[in-house]
Amino acid sequence: MPRDVSQLIDHLRRSGGDTTDVEVKSAAGGLPASLTATLSALANQPGGGTVILGLDEQAGFRPVRLPDPQVLKQGLAAKARAFTPPVRLTIDDAEVDGTAVIVAQVHECDRSAKPCRVAATGTAYLRGYDGDYALSDLDEQGFLAARQPPLFDRSPVEDATIDDLDAELVDAYLSAVRDRDPLGLGRFPDDDELLRRAGVTRDGGQPTVAGILALGVHPQQWFPRYVIQAAAQRLPTDSAATRARNQVVISGPIPRMLDAALLWARRTFDTAIVAEPDGSVHDRPSYPLVAFRELVANALVHRDLDHWSAGLAVEVRLLRDRLIVANPGGLYGITVDRLGRDAVTSARNARLVAICQHVRSPETGARVIEALASGIPTVTESLADQGLPPAHYIDSGIRFTVVLHQHATAPPGPAERTTAETSLGITERRVHQALTQNGKTVRELSEELALSAPSIRKALRGLRDRGLATQSGGRGRITLYQRKEFPAGPGGPR
């Protein structure tokens, strides 16, 4: 049976565009060529996804009459066989506003066979929150590595010794273990034996990857990209030469990086002065710090540690309308739809998680993690308390991204939009809002909106066709795109 199509369409109309697990095609002229990339990307995505044929996204997901639904379904089934391994589909008929549509459930490819490739070209695709992307060589290594259970955190660190562990952090760790687990791990009176049995060290006192990352003096001596790379988007008043604000690379062991990330957030997030009902006045950051801390802690502890991801950092990007936290490595042992709903704890890096349960912040003495499946509910509650939309979680299988929005992402209601604005997709609206009369380049728009250059160019073509953007430059000069305003009423753009 297909998913509840009416609820699905309502969600798409509220969000103003496709989601990471749903792709809509009008298919009025037959199966579109772009469907090939979409089927591969959804098959590679945890949980798969859904393709709906017979809806026009540009017209607010209104149904279009399909010329021959049976031919389209046969074409879908044939296209699914053109992949290695073949894409598994469940195809159903449904109705939207009284018009027939086709709903195809794309099942996730078996982990042992990923990535799912286009047989004719060998290309595999990955789903992002702004489109489908061909896998890079590094992405492909991530899928191949995911076929095996992750045990990299147990490996010894070459040339590291017990002296490369932070004495302050180790002392606090030993004290916490003996206080919290006195009859288990804490029953070993010898410090060296306790550290070895905890997986912090191996025989002879050589630290493990988990031990160095959690308790090392400077883990980046061996893992230079196991860092947090944070930056804020430049302001409209900044010069064109300004690429970013408050850009930092945060290094150190996990508890010190977490403290430094919170310090960066306090300095970087906008702050409002808020009066409470009891008459007290407080500073309130644009995003709740407790949610930020949980997301960064999860990214540090659950990031992929295998060789393929050694050159990738945890990324934190603060844009004007949203905050993005991303780490290499997808979810492990749990799916996005279960996050925060089930009291399930699952760890890609089981040894690192077990150690970090007893690691304390050197600044505050707070735990790094609880490992009680309480982090996501904490994020959800803190966002709701501040009147912010729920977090958006995106699992591509080899990358996990969380997006916090400053405001609701639904587009304006019909009464608030002109005819020209109603016809825009969500990406076109975002690009139009980011444009200025002085003009911006594709690269500037891509960095500002965190969208790919192809997605930006596609949106700009649509805006130019509607008379909502102009282009200048070219032929040896920088190409700029300028904004034209929506019409106030009949008569076209001003």
Side-chain angles (χ1 to χ4, degrees):
M1 295 296 291
R3 297 167 60 178
D4 190 328
V5 177
S6 61
Q7 290 184 7
L8 188 58
I9 301 307
D10 286 344
H11 174 69
L12 291 172
R13 286 170 174 169
R14 287 195 304 272
S15 63
D18 294 327
T19 65
T20 52
D21 63 339
V22 180
E23 181 75 18
V24 167
K25 308 285 187 184
S26 73
L31 293 177
S34 61
L35 190 59
T36 299
T38 298
L39 290 176
S40 170
L42 290 177
N44 286 324
Q45 177 171 270
T50 303
V51 174
I52 303 177
L53 303 180
L55 295 177
D56 187 347
E57 178 183 352
Q58 301 297 332
F61 297 98
R62 287 201 296 266
V64 297
R65 192 164 299 280
L66 297 173
D68 193 332
Q70 190 61 31
V71 169
L72 288 175
K73 287 189 285 187
Q74 292 172 352
L76 261 177
K79 186 177 280 291
R81 293 191 291 272
F83 295 87
T84 305
V87 173
R88 294 182 297 121
L89 295 178
T90 301
I91 304 175
D92 290 287
D93 297 308
E95 282 193 1
V96 176
D97 300 340
T99 301
V101 299
I102 297 171
V103 180
Q105 181 69 33
V106 182
H107 298 280
E108 179 184 359
C109 177
D110 188 85
R111 180 187 292 268
S112 65
K114 287 183 181 180
C116 175
R117 309 172 185 275
V118 181
T121 64
T123 305
Y125 292 86
L126 189 65
R127 190 79 167 162
Y129 66 90
D130 59 340
D132 302 319
Y133 303 94
L135 257 67
S136 67
D137 291 341
L138 199 61
D139 293 331
E140 185 165 336
Q141 290 179 41
F143 275 112
L144 296 177
R147 296 179 180 182
Q148 303 296 326
L151 301 173
F152 191 70
D153 61 340
R154 304 183 182 191
S155 302
V157 178
E158 187 176 357
D159 298 330
T161 71
I162 194 74
D163 292 333
D164 292 305
L165 297 179
D166 186 313
E168 179 185 6
L169 295 179
V170 170
D171 287 346
Y173 170 78
L174 293 170
S175 176
V177 169
R178 287 173 173 137
D179 180 53
R180 295 292 180 178
D181 191 16
L183 301 181
L185 181 60
R187 74 180 187 275
F188 300 104
D190 182 73
D191 291 351
D192 291 340
E193 183 181 7
L194 191 155
L195 292 175
R196 179 174 56 81
R197 292 187 180 277
V200 175
T201 61
R202 299 282 291 266
D203 290 340
Q206 185 177 24
T208 63
V209 171
I212 283 289
L213 293 179
L215 301 171
V217 173
H218 188 65
Q220 290 71 30
Q221 178 179 343
W222 296 273
F223 309 108
R225 292 296 292 163
Y226 286 8
V227 297
I228 302 172
Q229 197 161 284
Q233 179 184 353
R234 68 186 182 91
L235 299 175
T237 54
D238 291 334
S239 69
T242 303
R243 308 310 303 173
R245 299 174 68 90
N246 291 7
Q247 183 171 1
V248 297
V249 176
I250 300 172
S251 62
I254 286 174
R256 296 191 189 277
M257 282 200 288
L258 187 55
D259 286 343
L262 280 169
L263 181 61
W264 177 87
R266 292 188 181 97
R267 292 174 174 173
T268 307
F269 290 177
D270 288 338
T271 302
I273 300 175
V274 179
E276 302 293 347
D278 62 2
S280 61
V281 178
H282 301 278
D283 291 337
R284 186 176 71 185
S286 52
Y287 298 95
L289 293 178
V290 63
F292 177 76
R293 184 193 185 281
E294 291 291 342
L295 296 178
V296 172
N298 283 343
L300 291 172
V301 171
H302 296 297
R303 65 154 291 162
D304 191 279
L305 300 176
D306 210 341
H307 297 289
W308 75 270
S309 63
L312 303 175
V314 169
E315 301 280 349
V316 176
R317 297 189 65 185
L318 178 65
L319 306 182
R320 283 199 287 274
D321 63 342
R322 62 197 184 282
L323 173 67
I324 302 170
V325 179
N327 62 268
L331 293 175
Y332 185 80
I334 193 170
T335 56
V336 167
D337 60 331
R338 294 175 64 196
L339 284 176
R341 299 178 184 273
D342 299 344
V344 176
T345 60
S346 179
R348 170 183 300 277
N349 307 310
R351 187 62 54 82
L352 179 60
V353 168
I355 293 170
C356 284
Q357 280 184 274
H358 298 290
V359 173
R360 298 294 186 260
S361 160
E363 297 295 326
T364 65
R367 292 172 177 243
V368 170
I369 59 169
E370 296 176 351
L372 297 174
S374 59
I376 298 302
T378 297
V379 172
T380 302
E381 292 171 10
S382 63
L383 292 173
D385 289 344
Q386 198 159 314
L388 296 177
H392 183 199
Y393 300 101
I394 305 161
D395 180 18
S396 72
I398 57 173
R399 186 174 298 108
F400 185 66
T401 304
V402 185
V403 183
L404 304 186
H405 291 277
Q406 188 55 228
H407 305 290
T409 56
E416 301 171 328
R417 287 181 278 168
T418 65
T419 302
E421 188 176 2
T422 304
S423 66
L424 298 185
I426 187 169
T427 301
E428 289 174 327
R429 280 197 298 274
R430 290 182 58 200
V431 172
H432 185 260
Q433 291 167 1
L435 287 173
T436 65
Q437 293 183 347
N438 293 329
K440 292 184 179 180
T441 65
V442 169
R443 180 177 177 180
E444 288 172 337
L445 290 167
S446 179
E447 292 179 351
E448 178 177 339
L449 300 175
L451 297 174
S452 66
S455 295
I456 295 290
R457 292 190 181 97
K458 179 181 177 181
L460 288 169
R461 285 195 297 270
L463 293 173
R464 289 174 60 197
D465 291 344
R466 292 172 173 82
L468 295 172
T470 58
Q471 177 182 338
S472 63
R475 294 183 178 274
R477 295 184 298 158
I478 296 176
T479 301
L480 295 173
Y481 296 88
Q482 294 87 16
R483 169 178 175 150
K484 295 188 70 174
E485 298 297 334
F486 289 110
R494 295 191 293 271

